[in-house]
Amino acid sequence: MNPCELTTGVTALANVLASGLSDDELGMAAALFTQLGDTLATIAVQRSICGKASGNTPAVFGK
């Protein structure tokens, strides 16, 4: 998938979600997705750092 397709898909998904939510629900969803994205980014960086230090990627969630 190229970057334009990805951003178009994300925008379409946001519009679909927003159309079914109240303003308060939309604000909460935005906050939750922001936190989710930040947490995933933190996990990715930590995996990268730990993997470089030990020579492999640490197991997460029992994998």
Side-chain angles (χ1 to χ4, degrees), residues 31-63:
L32 291 173
F33 284 120
T34 297
Q35 182 177 354
L36 175 62
D38 290 346
T39 301
L40 290 173
T42 300
I43 291 168
V45 170
Q46 184 176 7
R47 282 184 180 181
S48 176
I49 291 169
C50 290
K52 289 177 185 174
S54 66
N56 59 25
T57 304
V60 175
F61 300 115
K63 291 183 181 178

Side-chain angles (χ1 to χ4, degrees), residues 10-24:
V10 170
T11 299
L13 178 59
N15 285 317
V16 168
L17 289 172
S19 69
L21 299 175
S22 70
D23 289 347
D24 287 340

